[in-house]
Amino acid sequence: AKSDRRGTYRFFEPEMDAQLQARRLLEADLRKALANKEFTLAYQPEINIRRHEISGFEALLRWKHPERGMVSPAEFIPVAEDIGLISALGEWVIEQACQEAAQWPDGIKVAVNLSPVQFRNRTLVETVDRALTQSGLCPSRLELEITESVLLQDNEMTLATLHQLRRLGVCIAMDDFGTGYSSLSYLRSFPFDKIKIDQSFIRELTSRADCLAIVQSITRLGSSLGMITTAEGVETEEQYRHLLAAGCTEAQGYYFGYPLPAQDLVFSLYPEKQP
Ligand code: C2E
Ligand code: CA
Ligand code: CA
Ligand code: CA
């Protein structure tokens, strides 16, 4: 809004009004989407590049809007957080992911993204516990991904929740590592099972020496702390070679596989070599 000469503000200029309307519409549609069964999960493989096998799949939320088609989670998750819908939606994701993964071959994990807002909800631990029991999924096959912003808020309660989740037997991964502030102190405050190196470092891995140096030191740090390191957004064979040389444990990205619906998943690498 622009200020006029008297120092007051004029809201609802035409273009702002249109923006606001679009937002209200998105909110209204989002509120109906869960009941209308418009959400699905797509699963993207995480590859153990040392052992040449699939270690698990990350569940990525997909919203098929009746008129707009696919809407990106980057667009609707912040809105769901704002309007208090993320807990119900996140609960659905946890339950759905556990149920689908319980059908997969033994030992294949499923990773679920958690919103920082879900951490403020006291029912999170209960929800995870119930989803595991109802699906019969072995707890060690569930991995919860959190970002640094989770650890920025109310530290004591967050740490307590993380420890409670760990006691259920699930794995905890730090997502988008390297993009937040003072990442290293977080590794000291909680023993993560896995560090996922943000894709911004992988994108320029082969063209910038500083990116390679950062990835190498994260990998070294991770392994000395007993944590798995996973590189995100791997798109080329060259990047994959560099990661292998850098000592990375796992890789994920379009080079290895796109996110796919549960019914299209293949659980072994190089399926063309299978009988
Ligand atoms: P994220 O957790 O960092 O997930 C990785 C994103 O990178 C996904 O985008 C994935 O499709 C994309 N990606 C995978 N491989 C490549 C690659 O090789 N190149 C490039 N350029 N991109 C790649 P997506 O599915 O659009 O999800 C975006 C973000 O939305 C996720 O980022 C995550 O923060 C959030 N999100 C997705 N599903 C959920 C969910 O169930 N709950 C919550 N709270 N957040 C979710
Ligand atoms: Ca993630
Ligand atoms: Ca990520
Ligand atoms: Ca990300």
Side-chain angles (χ1 to χ4, degrees):
K2 285 187 209 140
S3 150
D4 72 16
R5 290 205 191 92
R6 286 176 303 270
T8 56
Y9 293 90
R10 283 180 286 130
F11 291 104
F12 298 108
E13 286 174 31
E15 74 272 28
M16 193 183 179
D17 199 23
Q19 250 182 26
L20 200 66
Q21 268 183 23
R23 163 74 188 222
R24 293 283 174 267
L25 201 61
L26 187 72
E27 289 178 10
D29 290 345
L30 206 47
R31 286 184 208 281
K32 291 179 287 188
L34 202 52
N36 291 351
K37 299 191 189 306
E38 290 165 8
F39 292 109
T40 55
L41 293 177
Y43 296 94
Q44 185 180 34
E46 292 181 44
I47 313 298
N48 185 314
I49 54 177
R50 299 190 195 158
R51 290 205 239 137
H52 271 269
E53 56 190 35
I54 295 175
S55 55
F57 291 85
E58 177 178 2
L60 295 159
L61 192 53
R62 295 290 176 259
W63 179 19
K64 190 156 188 275
H65 187 282
E67 289 118 38
R68 291 177 56 192
M70 283 298 178
V71 184
S72 162
E75 184 183 346
F76 70 79
I77 282 174
V79 180
E81 287 172 339
D82 276 359
I83 64 174
L85 214 75
I86 195 68
S87 289
L89 184 54
E91 193 171 318
W92 179 85
V93 172
I94 293 166
E95 284 168 0
Q96 182 75 4
C98 287
Q99 251 153 44
E100 290 185 316
Q103 316 300 313
W104 300 349
D106 246 12
I108 303 270
K109 287 183 168 188
V110 67
V112 170
N113 290 285
L114 295 183
S115 153
V117 179
Q118 284 177 274
F119 264 78
R120 275 178 240 145
N121 197 319
R122 301 213 163 260
T123 59
L124 177 64
V125 179
E126 222 175 281
T127 298
V128 172
D129 194 17
R130 185 167 20 89
L132 288 168
T133 309
Q134 286 179 353
S135 63
L137 185 76
C138 177
S140 62
R141 287 176 58 195
L142 177 63
E143 186 167 84
L144 302 173
E145 296 191 3
I146 65 160
T147 52
E148 287 166 348
S149 54
V150 165
L151 296 170
L152 272 177
Q153 64 196 30
D154 191 327
N155 246 306
E156 256 168 60
M157 189 184 149
T158 306
L159 283 183
T161 304
L162 283 172
H163 283 289
Q164 279 177 303
L165 289 169
R166 172 62 65 64
R167 246 174 275 135
L168 293 179
V170 306
C171 303
I172 315 277
M174 160 132 296
D175 202 359
D176 300 347
F177 187 78
T179 57
Y181 298 100
S182 61
S183 312
L184 296 183
S185 67
Y186 298 132
L187 295 184
R188 199 185 48 186
S189 62
F190 186 81
F192 291 92
D193 298 284
K194 180 189 278 192
I195 301 172
K196 298 189 81 171
I197 308 170
D198 191 69
Q199 54 188 59
S200 56
F201 298 105
I202 313 305
R203 206 172 301 133
E204 295 177 294
L205 185 66
T206 56
S207 60
R208 285 180 51 168
D210 54 350
C211 281
L212 182 61
I214 289 171
V215 169
Q216 281 169 337
S217 44
I218 296 176
T219 299
R220 239 176 270 136
L221 178 73
S223 58
S224 63
L225 292 172
M227 300 173 186
I228 289 171
T229 46
T230 304
E232 303 192 285
V234 181
E235 294 183 350
T236 66
E237 175 167 3
E238 204 188 354
Q239 290 168 341
Y240 156 60
R241 298 271 164 228
H242 277 73
L243 291 164
L244 197 60
C248 214
T249 331
E250 295 183 348
Q252 179 182 13
Y254 299 156
Y255 177 67
F256 297 100
Y258 292 94
L260 291 174
Q263 68 266 21
D264 297 339
L265 296 184
V266 173
F267 297 98
S268 52
L269 283 182
Y270 314 123
E272 68 278 8
K273 289 184 187 160
Q274 302 293 312

Short mmCIF file of all heavy atoms in Angstrom, two decimals, residues 72-110:
data_model
loop_
_atom_site.label_atom_id
_atom_site.label_comp_id
_atom_site.label_asym_id
_atom_site.label_seq_id
_atom_site.Cartn_x
_atom_site.Cartn_y
_atom_site.Cartn_z
N SER A 72 2.01 -26.78 -6.57
CA SER A 72 3.27 -27.13 -5.90
C SER A 72 3.17 -27.01 -4.38
O SER A 72 2.58 -26.06 -3.86
CB SER A 72 4.38 -26.22 -6.42
OG SER A 72 5.48 -26.26 -5.54
N PRO A 73 3.79 -27.98 -3.67
CA PRO A 73 3.80 -27.87 -2.20
C PRO A 73 4.48 -26.59 -1.72
O PRO A 73 4.14 -26.05 -0.68
CB PRO A 73 4.55 -29.12 -1.74
CG PRO A 73 5.23 -29.66 -2.94
CD PRO A 73 4.47 -29.19 -4.13
N ALA A 74 5.43 -26.09 -2.52
CA ALA A 74 6.10 -24.84 -2.14
C ALA A 74 5.09 -23.69 -2.09
O ALA A 74 5.28 -22.73 -1.35
CB ALA A 74 7.21 -24.53 -3.15
N GLU A 75 4.00 -23.81 -2.86
CA GLU A 75 2.97 -22.78 -2.85
C GLU A 75 1.94 -23.01 -1.75
O GLU A 75 1.57 -22.08 -1.04
CB GLU A 75 2.26 -22.74 -4.22
CG GLU A 75 1.23 -21.62 -4.34
CD GLU A 75 0.48 -21.62 -5.67
OE1 GLU A 75 0.92 -22.31 -6.62
OE2 GLU A 75 -0.55 -20.95 -5.76
N PHE A 76 1.48 -24.27 -1.57
CA PHE A 76 0.34 -24.43 -0.66
C PHE A 76 0.72 -24.79 0.78
O PHE A 76 -0.08 -24.56 1.68
CB PHE A 76 -0.69 -25.43 -1.23
CG PHE A 76 -0.25 -26.87 -1.25
CD1 PHE A 76 -0.30 -27.66 -0.10
CD2 PHE A 76 0.15 -27.47 -2.44
CE1 PHE A 76 0.08 -28.99 -0.13
CE2 PHE A 76 0.54 -28.81 -2.48
CZ PHE A 76 0.50 -29.56 -1.31
N ILE A 77 1.93 -25.31 1.00
CA ILE A 77 2.27 -25.65 2.39
C ILE A 77 2.38 -24.41 3.29
O ILE A 77 1.82 -24.42 4.39
CB ILE A 77 3.51 -26.57 2.45
CG1 ILE A 77 3.03 -27.98 2.08
CG2 ILE A 77 4.13 -26.61 3.86
CD1 ILE A 77 4.07 -29.02 1.95
N PRO A 78 3.03 -23.34 2.83
CA PRO A 78 3.03 -22.12 3.67
C PRO A 78 1.62 -21.61 3.98
O PRO A 78 1.36 -21.12 5.08
CB PRO A 78 3.79 -21.11 2.81
CG PRO A 78 4.65 -21.93 1.91
CD PRO A 78 3.87 -23.17 1.63
N VAL A 79 0.70 -21.76 3.02
CA VAL A 79 -0.68 -21.32 3.25
C VAL A 79 -1.34 -22.23 4.29
O VAL A 79 -2.01 -21.77 5.22
CB VAL A 79 -1.50 -21.32 1.93
CG1 VAL A 79 -2.93 -20.87 2.18
CG2 VAL A 79 -0.83 -20.43 0.89
N ALA A 80 -1.13 -23.53 4.14
CA ALA A 80 -1.70 -24.48 5.11
C ALA A 80 -1.16 -24.21 6.52
O ALA A 80 -1.90 -24.35 7.51
CB ALA A 80 -1.37 -25.91 4.69
N GLU A 81 0.10 -23.79 6.60
CA GLU A 81 0.68 -23.44 7.90
C GLU A 81 -0.02 -22.20 8.48
O GLU A 81 -0.39 -22.17 9.65
CB GLU A 81 2.19 -23.18 7.77
CG GLU A 81 2.98 -24.46 7.54
CD GLU A 81 4.46 -24.19 7.22
OE1 GLU A 81 4.79 -23.07 6.78
OE2 GLU A 81 5.26 -25.13 7.38
N ASP A 82 -0.23 -21.20 7.62
CA ASP A 82 -0.85 -19.94 8.05
C ASP A 82 -2.26 -20.14 8.58
O ASP A 82 -2.66 -19.50 9.54
CB ASP A 82 -0.94 -18.96 6.86
CG ASP A 82 0.33 -18.19 6.67
OD1 ASP A 82 1.27 -18.40 7.46
OD2 ASP A 82 0.38 -17.38 5.72
N ILE A 83 -3.03 -20.98 7.91
CA ILE A 83 -4.46 -21.07 8.26
C ILE A 83 -4.75 -22.24 9.21
O ILE A 83 -5.90 -22.60 9.41
CB ILE A 83 -5.36 -21.15 7.00
CG1 ILE A 83 -5.09 -22.43 6.19
CG2 ILE A 83 -5.15 -19.90 6.13
CD1 ILE A 83 -6.05 -22.61 5.02
N GLY A 84 -3.70 -22.80 9.79
CA GLY A 84 -3.90 -23.82 10.82
C GLY A 84 -4.31 -25.19 10.29
O GLY A 84 -4.92 -25.99 10.99
N LEU A 85 -3.96 -25.44 9.04
CA LEU A 85 -4.38 -26.70 8.42
C LEU A 85 -3.26 -27.72 8.37
O LEU A 85 -3.48 -28.89 8.06
CB LEU A 85 -4.86 -26.40 6.99
CG LEU A 85 -6.00 -27.24 6.45
CD1 LEU A 85 -7.30 -26.79 7.07
CD2 LEU A 85 -6.06 -27.13 4.94
N ILE A 86 -2.05 -27.28 8.69
CA ILE A 86 -0.89 -28.14 8.45
C ILE A 86 -0.88 -29.36 9.38
O ILE A 86 -0.40 -30.43 9.00
CB ILE A 86 0.45 -27.36 8.53
CG1 ILE A 86 1.60 -28.18 7.94
CG2 ILE A 86 0.78 -26.95 9.95
CD1 ILE A 86 1.54 -28.38 6.45
N SER A 87 -1.44 -29.23 10.57
CA SER A 87 -1.42 -30.37 11.48
C SER A 87 -2.29 -31.51 10.96
O SER A 87 -1.88 -32.67 10.94
CB SER A 87 -1.83 -29.96 12.88
OG SER A 87 -0.80 -29.17 13.44
N ALA A 88 -3.50 -31.16 10.50
CA ALA A 88 -4.39 -32.18 9.93
C ALA A 88 -3.80 -32.77 8.66
O ALA A 88 -3.80 -33.99 8.45
CB ALA A 88 -5.77 -31.59 9.66
N LEU A 89 -3.25 -31.90 7.84
CA LEU A 89 -2.65 -32.35 6.58
C LEU A 89 -1.41 -33.20 6.86
O LEU A 89 -1.22 -34.27 6.27
CB LEU A 89 -2.28 -31.11 5.73
CG LEU A 89 -1.73 -31.35 4.34
CD1 LEU A 89 -2.66 -32.25 3.52
CD2 LEU A 89 -1.53 -30.02 3.61
N GLY A 90 -0.59 -32.74 7.79
CA GLY A 90 0.62 -33.47 8.16
C GLY A 90 0.30 -34.83 8.75
O GLY A 90 1.02 -35.80 8.53
N GLU A 91 -0.79 -34.90 9.50
CA GLU A 91 -1.24 -36.16 10.08
C GLU A 91 -1.63 -37.13 8.97
O GLU A 91 -1.27 -38.31 9.01
CB GLU A 91 -2.44 -35.89 10.99
CG GLU A 91 -2.81 -37.04 11.88
CD GLU A 91 -3.86 -36.63 12.91
OE1 GLU A 91 -3.76 -35.53 13.48
OE2 GLU A 91 -4.81 -37.42 13.12
N TRP A 92 -2.32 -36.60 7.97
CA TRP A 92 -2.70 -37.44 6.83
C TRP A 92 -1.45 -37.97 6.13
O TRP A 92 -1.38 -39.15 5.78
CB TRP A 92 -3.58 -36.65 5.84
CG TRP A 92 -3.96 -37.49 4.66
CD1 TRP A 92 -5.00 -38.37 4.56
CD2 TRP A 92 -3.24 -37.57 3.40
NE1 TRP A 92 -4.99 -38.99 3.34
CE2 TRP A 92 -3.93 -38.52 2.61
CE3 TRP A 92 -2.11 -36.94 2.89
CZ2 TRP A 92 -3.50 -38.85 1.31
CZ3 TRP A 92 -1.67 -37.28 1.61
CH2 TRP A 92 -2.37 -38.21 0.83
N VAL A 93 -0.45 -37.12 5.95
CA VAL A 93 0.79 -37.53 5.27
C VAL A 93 1.47 -38.66 6.04
O VAL A 93 1.87 -39.67 5.46
CB VAL A 93 1.76 -36.33 5.10
CG1 VAL A 93 3.12 -36.80 4.58
CG2 VAL A 93 1.18 -35.27 4.17
N ILE A 94 1.57 -38.50 7.36
CA ILE A 94 2.24 -39.52 8.18
C ILE A 94 1.50 -40.86 8.08
O ILE A 94 2.10 -41.90 7.85
CB ILE A 94 2.32 -39.06 9.66
CG1 ILE A 94 3.25 -37.84 9.79
CG2 ILE A 94 2.79 -40.19 10.56
CD1 ILE A 94 3.15 -37.11 11.13
N GLU A 95 0.17 -40.81 8.21
CA GLU A 95 -0.61 -42.05 8.14
C GLU A 95 -0.52 -42.71 6.77
O GLU A 95 -0.31 -43.92 6.66
CB GLU A 95 -2.08 -41.76 8.49
CG GLU A 95 -2.27 -41.54 9.98
CD GLU A 95 -3.63 -40.97 10.34
OE1 GLU A 95 -4.45 -40.73 9.42
OE2 GLU A 95 -3.87 -40.75 11.55
N GLN A 96 -0.68 -41.90 5.74
CA GLN A 96 -0.66 -42.42 4.37
C GLN A 96 0.72 -43.02 4.03
O GLN A 96 0.81 -44.11 3.47
CB GLN A 96 -1.01 -41.28 3.39
CG GLN A 96 -1.07 -41.67 1.94
CD GLN A 96 -2.32 -42.47 1.58
OE1 GLN A 96 -3.19 -42.68 2.43
NE2 GLN A 96 -2.39 -42.94 0.35
N ALA A 97 1.77 -42.31 4.40
CA ALA A 97 3.13 -42.78 4.11
C ALA A 97 3.41 -44.10 4.83
O ALA A 97 3.99 -45.02 4.25
CB ALA A 97 4.15 -41.72 4.50
N CYS A 98 2.99 -44.20 6.10
CA CYS A 98 3.22 -45.45 6.84
C CYS A 98 2.45 -46.60 6.22
O CYS A 98 2.97 -47.71 6.08
CB CYS A 98 2.81 -45.28 8.31
SG CYS A 98 3.97 -44.27 9.25
N GLN A 99 1.19 -46.32 5.85
CA GLN A 99 0.38 -47.38 5.26
C GLN A 99 0.95 -47.86 3.94
O GLN A 99 1.03 -49.06 3.68
CB GLN A 99 -1.05 -46.88 5.05
CG GLN A 99 -2.03 -47.55 6.01
CD GLN A 99 -3.22 -46.66 6.28
OE1 GLN A 99 -3.78 -46.07 5.36
NE2 GLN A 99 -3.63 -46.57 7.53
N GLU A 100 1.38 -46.92 3.09
CA GLU A 100 1.91 -47.33 1.79
C GLU A 100 3.26 -48.04 1.95
O GLU A 100 3.51 -49.06 1.32
CB GLU A 100 1.99 -46.12 0.84
CG GLU A 100 0.58 -45.68 0.44
CD GLU A 100 0.49 -44.56 -0.59
OE1 GLU A 100 1.24 -43.56 -0.50
OE2 GLU A 100 -0.36 -44.68 -1.50
N ALA A 101 4.10 -47.52 2.84
CA ALA A 101 5.44 -48.11 3.01
C ALA A 101 5.37 -49.50 3.64
O ALA A 101 6.26 -50.32 3.42
CB ALA A 101 6.32 -47.19 3.85
N ALA A 102 4.31 -49.77 4.40
CA ALA A 102 4.17 -51.09 5.02
C ALA A 102 4.01 -52.18 3.95
O ALA A 102 4.25 -53.36 4.23
CB ALA A 102 2.99 -51.10 5.98
N GLN A 103 3.65 -51.78 2.72
CA GLN A 103 3.49 -52.74 1.62
C GLN A 103 4.82 -52.99 0.89
O GLN A 103 4.89 -53.86 0.03
CB GLN A 103 2.49 -52.23 0.57
CG GLN A 103 1.21 -51.61 1.10
CD GLN A 103 0.42 -52.58 1.94
OE1 GLN A 103 0.22 -53.73 1.51
NE2 GLN A 103 -0.01 -52.15 3.11
N TRP A 104 5.83 -52.19 1.17
CA TRP A 104 7.09 -52.28 0.44
C TRP A 104 7.96 -53.41 0.98
O TRP A 104 7.75 -53.89 2.09
CB TRP A 104 7.87 -50.97 0.56
CG TRP A 104 7.16 -49.77 0.04
CD1 TRP A 104 6.01 -49.75 -0.71
CD2 TRP A 104 7.54 -48.40 0.22
NE1 TRP A 104 5.65 -48.45 -1.00
CE2 TRP A 104 6.57 -47.60 -0.44
CE3 TRP A 104 8.60 -47.77 0.87
CZ2 TRP A 104 6.64 -46.21 -0.46
CZ3 TRP A 104 8.68 -46.38 0.85
CH2 TRP A 104 7.70 -45.62 0.17
N PRO A 105 8.98 -53.82 0.20
CA PRO A 105 9.90 -54.86 0.67
C PRO A 105 10.56 -54.45 2.00
O PRO A 105 10.76 -53.25 2.24
CB PRO A 105 10.95 -54.94 -0.43
CG PRO A 105 10.33 -54.35 -1.64
CD PRO A 105 9.33 -53.35 -1.16
N ASP A 106 10.90 -55.42 2.78
CA ASP A 106 11.54 -55.18 4.08
C ASP A 106 12.79 -54.33 3.94
O ASP A 106 13.56 -54.49 3.00
CB ASP A 106 11.96 -56.54 4.68
CG ASP A 106 11.17 -56.82 5.94
OD1 ASP A 106 10.19 -56.08 6.18
OD2 ASP A 106 11.55 -57.74 6.67
N GLY A 107 12.99 -53.45 4.89
CA GLY A 107 14.24 -52.68 4.90
C GLY A 107 14.19 -51.41 4.09
O GLY A 107 15.05 -50.55 4.24
N ILE A 108 13.20 -51.25 3.20
CA ILE A 108 13.09 -50.00 2.44
C ILE A 108 12.39 -48.97 3.32
O ILE A 108 11.28 -49.19 3.80
CB ILE A 108 12.28 -50.22 1.13
CG1 ILE A 108 12.91 -51.31 0.27
CG2 ILE A 108 12.13 -48.88 0.39
CD1 ILE A 108 13.94 -50.86 -0.71
N LYS A 109 13.05 -47.84 3.51
CA LYS A 109 12.52 -46.81 4.41
C LYS A 109 11.59 -45.83 3.71
O LYS A 109 11.62 -45.72 2.48
CB LYS A 109 13.69 -45.98 4.97
CG LYS A 109 14.52 -46.70 6.00
CD LYS A 109 15.55 -45.69 6.47
CE LYS A 109 16.27 -46.16 7.71
NZ LYS A 109 17.12 -45.08 8.23
N VAL A 110 10.83 -45.10 4.51
CA VAL A 110 10.05 -43.98 3.98
C VAL A 110 10.38 -42.74 4.80
O VAL A 110 10.48 -42.79 6.02
CB VAL A 110 8.53 -44.28 3.99
CG1 VAL A 110 7.97 -44.39 5.41
CG2 VAL A 110 7.77 -43.21 3.20
#
